[in-house]
Amino acid sequence: MTSSYAIALHGGAGVNPERDYREVEVHLSELIRQCESRLKQGQSAIDAVEQAVIELEASGLYVAGRGSAPNISGSVECDAAIMDGPSGKAGGVCAMQGVVNPIRAARAVLDTSPFVLLAGDGARQFALDHGCEAISATASHYRLPVGIEEAELSVLDPGLAHGTVGAVALDRSGGLAAATSTGGLLGKQPGRVGDTPITGIGNWADSEVAISCTGIGEAFIQSGGARDVTARMAYGGEALEQASTAMLEQVAVAGGDGGLIAIDRRGNCVMPFNSPGMKRAFVRSGEAPMVQIL
Ligand code: ASP
């Protein structure tokens, strides 16, 4: 066991500077401290990212879990993925209705299923069979996330009308992991699936780096996503920061915006974004935690 650990969280790309995000800032500050204390005590990266995302989903402050917003039919459909660097195993669920914590379902896929991604009713049944808590998929059972008003639910306003939560971590054994969960884009078409549950696009972890993305999923899918960052590093020798920025430039070329959080095996962290703000937090052993919104 080494003494180094690090964890970064995001609460989604897109911030409205006119609105008050103090509740989000307080939440991220408390959560990053709890995450740090668990990692310090030897928690594995995969457990750390799952637990962090469960807490982000449960807060209802972000467009994920209890904060997920309805699609144009008035139902809430969620996507989530989780990946463990040391084993190379991944699990995900997409277009899934009626489960409180989609990331728990993704973890159950990783731990117990020979498959990587389950969709729709099959994903929900699998989640319930594996002990995940059910919730009605009707919008009234969910909370509007901070910064989003009722009137915006049917309007696609790039940079604001979406959100996601994510966590990436390095544990004291040198293991990396990533977890990402989303309610997707507000006012989306039923059945629409974004980048988040697709391993290698919205979420990735290997022995070198863990990455969680947020932003307009279509642009991430069409421009390579998280695996483009690792490929730039592995094949092109680019540094993490350079590779992450270059990937986001391609997201912009594809007509989208967003950001990512990434931690490498040395505990270096980058959190670039080209959206108007990204709720984010980071802590590394021996340093004070940071939380930023804009
Ligand atoms: N990437 C998510 C999606 O397209 C949304 C977001 O991160 O804000 O579903």
Side-chain angles (χ1 to χ4, degrees):
M1 202 179 269
T2 70
S3 57
S4 315
Y5 56 83
I7 184 160
L9 313 174
H10 72 75
V15 168
N16 182 340
E18 308 290 305
R19 300 206 182 138
D20 187 353
Y21 287 89
R22 265 174 299 186
E23 200 182 350
V24 168
E25 264 183 290
V26 168
H27 183 249
L28 286 177
S29 301
E30 286 169 359
L31 184 55
I32 197 77
R33 282 186 169 79
Q34 288 159 12
C35 292
E36 173 178 26
S37 131
R38 296 191 284 251
L39 277 172
K40 202 172 186 171
Q41 287 165 37
Q43 188 181 43
S44 65
I46 187 76
D47 287 344
V49 295
E50 183 193 5
Q51 199 165 346
V53 169
I54 287 171
E55 287 161 25
L56 288 161
E57 288 174 338
S59 73
L61 295 172
Y62 318 91
V63 186
R66 284 196 186 271
S68 298
N71 59 28
I72 47 170
S73 299
S75 296
V76 173
E77 290 183 341
C78 294
D79 303 334
I82 187 164
M83 188 165 189
D84 178 47
S87 66
K89 291 196 74 182
V93 289
C94 62
M96 184 180 71
Q97 297 191 4
V99 173
V100 174
N101 287 113
I103 202 66
R104 279 193 199 274
R107 178 72 191 263
V109 174
L110 183 155
D111 284 340
T112 68
S113 161
F115 310 113
V116 167
L117 183 58
L118 299 180
D121 290 345
R124 180 171 196 272
Q125 195 53 54
F126 177 90
L128 300 182
D129 290 347
H130 287 79
C132 296
E133 191 186 339
I135 184 173
S136 160
T138 341
S140 57
H141 292 263
Y142 291 79
R143 177 189 160 160
L144 271 187
V146 172
I148 293 175
E149 316 250 323
E150 190 80 37
E152 288 162 340
L153 290 180
S154 57
V155 186
L156 274 185
D157 167 10
L160 180 64
H162 58 85
T164 288
V165 301
V168 290
L170 170 71
D171 64 32
R172 296 183 68 188
S173 305
L176 289 156
T180 312
S181 174
T182 190
L185 303 184
L186 310 193
K188 67 186 178 183
Q189 173 90 26
R192 177 267 183 189
V193 172
D195 59 313
T196 303
I198 307 175
T199 294
I201 305 289
N203 196 72
W204 179 261
D206 57 25
S207 56
E208 294 292 321
V209 64
I211 302 172
S212 169
C213 300
T214 170
I216 304 292
E218 284 69 13
F220 280 77
I221 294 169
Q222 289 168 163
S223 62
R227 278 295 274 151
D228 186 46
V229 176
T230 63
R232 285 171 184 276
M233 294 169 72
Y235 312 145
E238 290 182 25
L240 176 59
E241 185 157 14
Q242 186 188 6
S244 304
T245 307
M247 188 274 272
L248 285 181
E249 280 166 12
Q250 291 311 305
V251 168
V253 170
D257 71 353
L260 64 92
I261 54 172
I263 289 180
D264 72 13
R265 68 186 165 85
R266 289 178 205 84
N268 297 312
C269 175
V270 296
M271 297 191 273
F273 56 92
N274 58 14
S275 47
M278 180 174 80
K279 297 134 239 162
R280 60 203 185 278
F282 171 66
V283 71
R284 175 166 44 207
S285 35
E287 290 179 20
M290 64 74 75
V291 175
Q292 279 178 317
I293 304 291
L294 288 169

